[in-house]
Amino acid sequence: MTNLIIFLLLMTLGYLVGQVAEKKHYKSIIQREKRLSGLPTIASRFPPTDRLFDQSLVMGNTVISVDYFKRFIAALRNLLGGRVTSYESLLDRARRESLLRMKQQAEAMGAEYVFNVKYETASISKGRNNAIGSVEVLAYGTALIACGPSDEV
Amino acid sequence: MKFEHREIPDGINVTDVHPLKELVVLLSGATILIVALVYILGLSAGFMAPYIPFDTEKRLTASFPVEAPADTAVEHYLQQVTDRVVEVMDLPEEIEVTLHYSDGDTVNAFATLGGNVVVFRGLLQKLPNENALAMLLAHEIAHIKHRDPIVSLTRGVTISAALAVLLGFSDLDLMGEAGVYTMLHFSRTMEQQADSEALQAVYTLYGHTHGASDLFDTISAWHKASGNSEGVEFMQSHPLDQKRIKTLSAQATSKHWPQAGETTPLPQRFIDGLKGQ
């Protein structure tokens, strides 16, 4: 019975706190994405050749954990199979946040574009089985900072 | 070439399903799965365990130390009643019942592997007459006759192993509770069958079933006095007291067994013996 009460408490707490945290995070993500929309991030490896650019490595890194509620749902999914929707928003948030951090760094350098953008995703719960439900997402790319007119090429 | 920022439509990487709805669907699915699994395993254990020879069951318990029975008035009398009960209960030939008296305050009695029945002084002291004692012994001996201890053991081991494989390496140990409550269903059925068999024995011995109601009234009164509220039936290993009394009374009525009659008092040397004199 005590087990059940502790479980229900953790579930309620996880759900409420997790939902509030997620809503708040998404709000901030959307806001910053709008603000940084003037700085394109491009997957292509080939930068424009019409002008000269300084190049610099930029990266953004995020580690996010799920709440108790979502982890329980994911564990049930392991039993029955299907889409682990409770982890989808976790990864979505981590990727977008990482990209934003990378863009912020590029913006601070006065970059015009970030090329060759890539993601790395790692689970940081290795060896701890189900004790930690966290992911790390690293976004990195090459920031192009204009340094001269095209006729100097 | 022109490079520009294109906005990604929001929410394409996240499935729009309410987390609470997801929880309800998954939780009921998992519960049904576990209950069904435990039920099937429980049924098959109940079907197969009785085929384990009684000798093998006895060998399982041979390594446990057992108090040697003392030759006191209490044990003497208990053995006498047991013998009479066993006689009317029509036990299969290979099964033999061994009675143990334990000088403990625990208000309990139980049947266990190898045909061993243990009764505690705490419960014996509360019994009003021999009829109630016979009902108690007949109930425990019925468990032995039905091979309930070995069935419970087989069931418990099989089901815990299955649940450990299914849930052991996840955060779902709590789901095991669904399995435990399902398992209790089998335990309650066993109790009911033992009650019914014991009632038959008491009727054969005394010509009426007064002892049955005396026994359960005693137990029920003790439950109330000790403040053990019985709670919800699906969480109990035994049926609720009132339900047991009702079921037994219905059985007696349908078979036209008289439910009242003269009771046989417990001998004074037995009562004195329980007090330690």
Side-chain angles (χ1 to χ4, degrees):
Chain A
M1 205 61 198
T2 330
N3 272 359
L4 198 69
I5 292 169
I6 294 175
F7 168 76
L8 287 176
L9 211 70
L10 283 173
M11 282 290 271
T12 319
L13 209 69
Y15 177 70
L16 294 177
V17 174
Q19 288 289 302
V20 168
E22 186 168 300
K23 282 225 174 81
K24 213 170 121 189
H25 191 201
Y26 264 125
K27 211 173 137 191
S28 137
I29 286 175
I30 290 165
Q31 208 178 18
R32 283 180 295 150
E33 274 175 352
K34 281 223 173 81
R35 192 175 67 73
L36 288 167
S37 62
L39 177 62
T41 47
I42 294 126
S44 165
R45 286 194 290 136
F46 305 105
T49 47
D50 53 340
R51 280 182 294 156
L52 265 185
F53 289 102
D54 276 342
Q55 301 173 12
S56 173
L57 174 72
V58 281
M59 56 174 133
N61 190 32
T62 315
V63 178
I64 298 192
S65 179
V66 271
D67 51 74
Y68 189 87
F69 179 87
K70 288 192 167 177
R71 210 170 62 203
F72 183 74
I73 287 193
L76 283 176
R77 266 286 173 228
N78 277 342
L79 205 62
L80 300 169
R83 253 189 287 178
V84 189
T85 54
S86 68
Y87 279 4
E88 284 177 354
S89 63
L90 171 82
L91 281 156
D92 186 48
R93 279 159 65 194
R95 295 214 175 97
R96 287 165 81 172
E97 179 68 38
S98 296
L99 195 72
L100 280 169
R101 288 180 181 180
M102 184 195 78
K103 280 174 97 171
Q104 271 165 348
Q105 195 193 346
E107 187 199 32
M109 288 174 174
E112 234 168 272
Y113 306 103
V114 183
F115 265 76
N116 199 13
V117 174
K118 292 198 166 85
Y119 284 117
E120 301 264 342
T121 307
S123 135
I124 61 163
S125 52
K126 296 261 156 53
R128 294 286 313 270
N129 221 345
N130 288 307
I132 312 170
S134 320
V135 284
E136 181 211 23
V137 172
L138 171 70
Y140 57 98
T142 309
L144 301 184
I145 305 144
C147 64
S150 54
D151 49 44
E152 280 178 27
V153 176
Chain B
M1 205 187 282
K2 199 171 157 253
F3 296 102
E4 62 181 24
H5 178 83
R6 293 259 172 81
E7 218 154 291
I8 308 163
D10 211 38
I12 55 165
N13 288 322
V14 180
T15 311
D16 186 25
V17 52
H18 198 282
L20 288 179
K21 190 186 154 202
E22 174 109 340
L23 175 72
V24 170
V25 171
L26 288 175
L27 205 57
S28 35
T31 309
I32 291 169
L33 182 81
I34 288 168
V35 168
L37 177 82
V38 169
Y39 198 79
I40 291 168
L41 284 177
L43 276 185
S44 31
F47 176 70
M48 286 188 277
Y51 290 104
I52 298 171
F54 190 73
D55 277 343
T56 313
E57 185 184 328
K58 256 194 133 167
R59 249 180 285 138
L60 281 177
T61 57
S63 54
F64 293 102
V66 181
E67 267 178 72
D71 192 24
T72 62
V74 172
E75 309 212 336
H76 211 73
Y77 174 66
L78 283 176
Q79 191 57 54
Q80 216 182 320
V81 181
T82 307
D83 289 342
R84 266 165 38 218
V85 173
V86 167
E87 210 167 296
V88 298
M89 284 192 68
D90 200 19
L91 289 166
E93 219 168 276
E94 71 276 13
I95 293 183
E96 50 186 289
V97 176
T98 318
L99 187 83
H100 305 272
Y101 165 69
S102 175
D103 186 20
D105 290 326
T106 319
V107 182
N108 199 5
F110 62 87
T112 183
L113 293 173
N116 293 300
V117 173
V118 181
V119 285
F120 287 92
R121 178 171 50 79
L123 178 55
L124 291 178
Q125 273 176 331
K126 292 193 186 303
L127 297 179
N129 49 45
E130 190 188 285
N131 306 56
L133 174 64
M135 179 70 191
L136 172 71
L137 292 172
H139 174 94
E140 302 307 339
I141 293 165
H143 278 313
I144 305 282
K145 181 179 171 185
H146 298 154
R147 308 290 307 274
D148 288 347
I150 190 80
V151 170
S152 298
L153 177 72
T154 314
R155 204 169 258 159
V157 170
T158 319
I159 291 172
S160 343
L163 287 180
V165 169
L166 193 65
L167 309 174
F169 300 105
S170 64
D171 293 333
L172 295 172
D173 349 354
L174 199 94
M175 293 303 295
E177 308 257 322
V180 171
Y181 290 137
T182 312
M183 216 150 73
L184 287 179
H185 158 82
F186 292 110
S187 164
R188 288 195 300 270
T189 313
M190 281 178 174
E191 296 302 328
Q192 222 161 30
Q193 285 165 350
D195 278 353
S196 158
E197 179 102 26
L199 192 74
Q200 163 98 49
V202 168
Y203 169 71
T204 319
L205 272 178
Y206 300 100
H208 61 82
T209 64
H210 198 114
S213 46
D214 273 351
L215 174 67
F216 288 111
D217 286 345
T218 308
I219 292 174
S220 174
W222 171 71
H223 276 158
K224 275 186 196 132
S226 57
N228 281 351
S229 78
E230 290 195 279
V232 198
E233 185 172 80
F234 86 96
M235 294 167 101
Q236 312 290 326
S237 63
H238 289 59
L240 302 181
D241 291 339
Q242 285 314 312
K243 200 173 158 190
R244 289 175 94 170
I245 294 171
K246 247 187 229 161
T247 313
L248 287 175
S249 165
Q251 187 189 348
T253 314
S254 73
K255 299 228 165 125
H256 305 291
W257 294 340
Q259 292 183 51
E262 209 175 313
T263 55
T264 315
L266 292 164
Q268 194 56 43
R269 60 190 162 85
F270 174 71
I271 298 170
D272 291 345
L274 289 178
K275 283 184 192 144
Q277 284 163 8

